[in-house]
Amino acid sequence: MPEQSYEPEGVIAGTGMGGAMDLAASEAATLERHPSAASGGRAPGGPEGTGPAGKPRSLWSDAWRDLRRNPVFIVSALVILFLVLISLWPSAIASGSPLKCDLAKAQEGSQPGAPFGYDGQGCNVYTRTVYGARTSVTVGVCATLGVALLGSVLGGLAGFFGGIWDSVLSRITDVFFAIPVVLGGLVLLSVVTSNTVWPVIGFMVLLGWPQISRIARGSVITAKQNDYVQAARALGASNSRLLLRHITPNAVAPVIVVATIALGTYIALEATLSYLGVGLKPPSVSWGIDISAASPFIRNAPHALLWPSGALALTVLAFIMLGDAVRDALDPKLR
């Protein structure tokens, strides 16, 4: 029998699945020099599910890509950006002081220099509406940050360690959930004499953290049961490393979604408390104060009520729409 010659360019490579793959040595060298040829000439971005240079995409990169294509997110983000800008620089689009009033012009309609007319005290409704955005945005952002920080820390630690701390926190949150928010505001803020926004923010943080705490607790409990956390624990990772490097990045998405939606709720709550007379008080400028002052004159001067009410409704709607868009982008079940 003639001896068979060995041909390196016709090597048969086993696939481990009962088959074989005939790969010429010249083709292997070509693929090694030009990796893009393996994908049929595609760009270096890699196949679907990978980012630049073939790197796998993360949840946050996928979420940002979806948000950029979502018209609801774009519209709400533009509205919120405009509100933030006029909160920082209200004098850029509104001249004069919101506290300057002229009783001779009380309840007058739109005119040059006062496109929204005047309220019952002769104050420029347009100027007060613009300056009122600063109060609402400040209260909403600060209350949301405080609630998210306090609730996430307490709920995350309780969910991670469990035991007696988890049981105590659950009972405490049950107590806070039993307190009506508006009634609690009427009781707690009625004894406050300060005209600043900080008592209102403190009240919202005090009664708002249990909701975020429950969500953070459940998210951490789910995340710590994943295989990568168990593997890191088996390799000797400390509790702080597990929380900061492995659990928190994968458990923070639900907290962000709920906090974004709650921001609009806190703005509406501040206006409600100010309307009832226990939130911000004059001479502070707030949409709730203006709505309360304009309510008795709704028949003679409806414009004084409609403009701050419309600004409040638009702001709350923008934050709720933003939260819905973020939820759709971060929830894998909705993909």
Side-chain angles (χ1 to χ4, degrees), residues 75-153:
V75 172
S76 59
L78 290 177
V79 174
I80 293 173
L81 178 61
F82 174 74
L83 291 171
V84 171
L85 291 178
I86 67 174
S87 300
L88 296 175
W89 301 285
S91 58
I93 63 172
S95 60
S97 172
L99 302 178
K100 182 180 179 181
C101 305
D102 186 0
L103 286 175
K105 298 180 179 180
Q107 301 183 17
E108 292 185 2
S110 176
Q111 55 187 270
F116 295 173
Y118 294 88
D119 62 9
Q121 300 296 324
C123 302
N124 192 325
V125 177
Y126 172 76
T127 302
R128 290 187 64 85
T129 301
V130 172
Y131 276 83
R134 170 181 291 178
T135 301
S136 296
V137 172
T138 301
V139 170
V141 172
C142 293
T144 301
L145 291 177
V147 166
L149 181 61
L150 180 61
S152 298
V153 172

Side-chain angles (χ1 to χ4, degrees), residues 124-247:
N124 192 325
V125 177
Y126 172 76
T127 302
R128 290 187 64 85
T129 301
V130 172
Y131 276 83
R134 170 181 291 178
T135 301
S136 296
V137 172
T138 301
V139 170
V141 172
C142 293
T144 301
L145 291 177
V147 166
L149 181 61
L150 180 61
S152 298
V153 172
L154 295 179
L157 293 177
F160 181 77
F161 291 105
I164 184 64
W165 301 109
D166 188 16
S167 300
V168 170
L169 182 68
S170 298
R171 301 295 76 78
I172 293 176
T173 55
D174 290 340
V175 172
F176 277 93
F177 277 129
I179 302 176
V181 177
V182 176
L183 179 59
L186 290 174
V187 174
L188 296 178
L189 295 178
S190 60
V191 298
V192 177
T193 58
S194 175
N195 290 328
T196 64
V197 299
W198 300 113
V200 179
I201 294 174
F203 163 74
M204 294 180 180
V205 173
L206 178 63
L207 293 187
W209 70 266
Q211 180 186 17
I212 298 294
S213 176
R214 282 282 180 89
I215 295 172
R217 172 184 174 273
S219 184
V220 168
I221 291 176
T222 302
K224 76 175 185 178
Q225 296 174 354
N226 291 328
D227 293 338
Y228 59 85
V229 176
Q230 302 301 328
R233 188 188 300 273
L235 291 174
S238 61
N239 288 334
S240 59
R241 182 178 180 85
L242 289 175
L243 276 171
L244 298 178
R245 296 293 300 273
H246 300 285
I247 295 179

